[in-house]
């Protein structure tokens, strides 16, 4: 049986594909305050702004390409059972070919009914508009976990982390609850690696080996070493 490597990824993993991170710049997210676009109250106040904001995110995602970091994680599947748990809402892991990706914070490629069913649907193209309804006639919203909403995949993510033989954390500031607590479920003696050019004390939990480098550089090298057996799992 293949050894399991769990990879927790955040916005920094997609930065080299041209998708901006959340907390690196000025506290604004593509010129919007997060409360104006990524909360249930924003949706009730101004659904048109929220829909347009995510339409632009979706368009940008479709124009972006997976980078060397995403591709390295696909290559790692040759020898390991790779489980990606991502906070990212883009589909760059999937487009790189990774087969096992859990999206903690939802997916831009999907929509969800605001009716009682809460059913999730695939979205073709980049636009979701006011008046786009589910088959039962309820408005569709982006399938994104907004601030203040439950992270329903959290229990599945915890289970995955608990089964790991190695954990790699890439490109997340570890500031957003509850995703930042996942690391605590790593079994004792399981090695933890961190890749983040701005790694700080939040990243040094569990005696992690910290590489203060960009994902597009450090991930391919670490994956190479893992495939060659130069780093043991
Ligand atoms: P952040 O923007 O908080 O953190 C991005 C991290 O990536 C920082 O620690 C950067 O130092 C690092 N970084 C930047 N460029 C990098 C590179 N080339 N290679 C590796 N690391 C790099 O993003 P997240 O931690 O992912 O939620 O944010 C978590 C959640 O907050 C997001 O999922 C989002 C947001 O609110 C939702 O959309 C629901």
């Amino acid at each position: 049986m293949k050894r399991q490597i769990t990879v927790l990824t955040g916005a920094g993993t997609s930065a080299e594909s041209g998708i901006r991170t959340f907390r690196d710049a000025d506290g604004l997210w593509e010129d919007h305050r997060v409360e104006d676009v990524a909360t249930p109250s924003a949706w009730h106040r101004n659904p048109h702004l929220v829909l347009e904001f995510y339409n632009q995110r979706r368009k940008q995602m479709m124009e972006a390409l997976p980078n060397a970091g995403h591709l390295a994680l696909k290559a790692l599947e040759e020898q390991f059972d790779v489980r990606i748990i991502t906070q990212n809402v883009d589909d760059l892991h999937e487009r790189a070919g990774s087969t096992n990706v859990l999206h903690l914070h939802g997916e831009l490629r999907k929509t969800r009914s605001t009716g009682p069913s809460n059913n999730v649907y695939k979205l073709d193209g980049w636009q979701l508009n006011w008046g786009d309804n589910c088959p039962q006639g309820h408005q569709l919203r982006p399938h994104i976990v907004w601030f203040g909403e439950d992270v329903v995949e959290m229990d599945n993510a915890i289970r995955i982390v608990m089964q790991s033989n190695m954990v790699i954390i890439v490109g997340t500031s570890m500031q957003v609850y509850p995703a930042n607590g996942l690391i605590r479920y790593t079994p004792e003696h399981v090695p933890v690696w961190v890749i983040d050019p701005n790694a700080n004390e939040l990243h040094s939990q569990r005696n992690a080996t910290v590489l203060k480098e960009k994902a597009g550089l450090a991930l391919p090298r670490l994956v190479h070493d893992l495939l060659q057996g130069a780093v043991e799992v």
Side-chain angles (χ1 to χ4, degrees):
M1 220 167 70
K2 288 180 174 175
R3 307 274 284 166
Q4 181 183 314
I5 299 183
T6 304
V7 192
L8 309 176
T9 67
T13 315
S14 296
E16 287 155 89
S17 295
I19 296 178
R20 252 173 70 172
T21 59
F22 296 90
R23 292 176 184 78
D24 278 335
D26 42 15
L28 294 180
W29 186 19
E30 300 280 349
D31 301 326
H32 291 280
R33 291 187 318 147
V34 94
E35 313 86 76
D36 293 337
V37 286
T39 60
S41 60
W43 173 251
H44 292 299
R45 206 169 43 238
N46 192 348
H48 300 276
L49 172 71
V50 175
L51 286 169
E52 180 53 21
F53 175 77
Y54 283 102
N55 283 347
Q56 291 304 323
R57 303 280 70 71
R58 207 174 287 114
K59 187 160 178 271
Q60 185 187 45
M61 168 190 87
M62 291 167 88
E63 288 162 2
L65 293 172
N67 64 50
H70 297 109
L71 296 170
L73 292 178
K74 163 60 187 164
L76 193 59
E77 291 188 6
E78 275 170 34
Q79 283 182 34
F80 296 95
D81 177 6
V82 179
R83 309 293 181 98
I84 295 174
I85 301 172
T86 188
Q87 294 174 74
N88 297 344
V89 294
D90 66 53
D91 62 354
L92 294 177
H93 285 304
E94 286 90 344
R95 277 158 61 203
S98 286
T99 54
N100 214 319
V101 186
L102 182 146
H103 286 269
L104 273 183
H105 292 163
E107 294 174 69
L108 282 169
R109 286 277 197 179
K110 293 181 180 169
T111 67
R112 192 181 337 143
S113 173
T114 54
S117 74
N118 282 322
N119 280 347
V120 174
Y121 302 90
K122 273 229 161 92
L123 178 66
D124 292 324
W126 59 275
Q127 281 178 304
L128 178 66
N129 296 313
W130 190 249
D132 289 346
N133 292 340
C134 73
Q136 286 74 39
H138 301 283
Q139 174 67 41
L140 292 167
R141 58 164 271 185
H143 181 49
I144 303 287
V145 180
W146 287 325
F147 285 93
E149 294 185 321
D150 284 344
V151 179
V152 293
E153 292 291 357
M154 196 60 191
D155 286 347
N156 288 332
I158 290 171
R159 253 192 303 278
I160 292 168
V161 171
M162 289 173 80
Q163 291 161 359
S164 310
N165 298 112
M166 173 186 252
V167 173
I168 307 173
I169 301 172
V170 194
T172 168
S173 62
M174 304 279 280
Q175 288 191 36
V176 173
Y177 175 86
N180 60 358
L182 276 174
I183 176 78
R184 286 190 283 114
Y185 295 92
T186 311
E188 233 178 296
H189 308 303
V190 163
V192 175
W193 288 68
V194 170
I195 297 173
D196 193 311
N198 306 305
N200 56 37
E201 65 282 357
L202 292 176
H203 297 90
S204 348
Q205 304 171 44
R206 304 291 321 254
N207 289 325
T209 306
V210 178
L211 305 176
K212 285 196 172 197
E213 292 175 74
K214 290 186 173 182
L217 210 66
L219 256 183
R221 200 181 60 238
L222 178 57
V223 164
H224 175 268
D225 289 351
L226 286 163
L227 292 174
Q228 298 297 313
V231 169
E232 272 184 43
V233 181

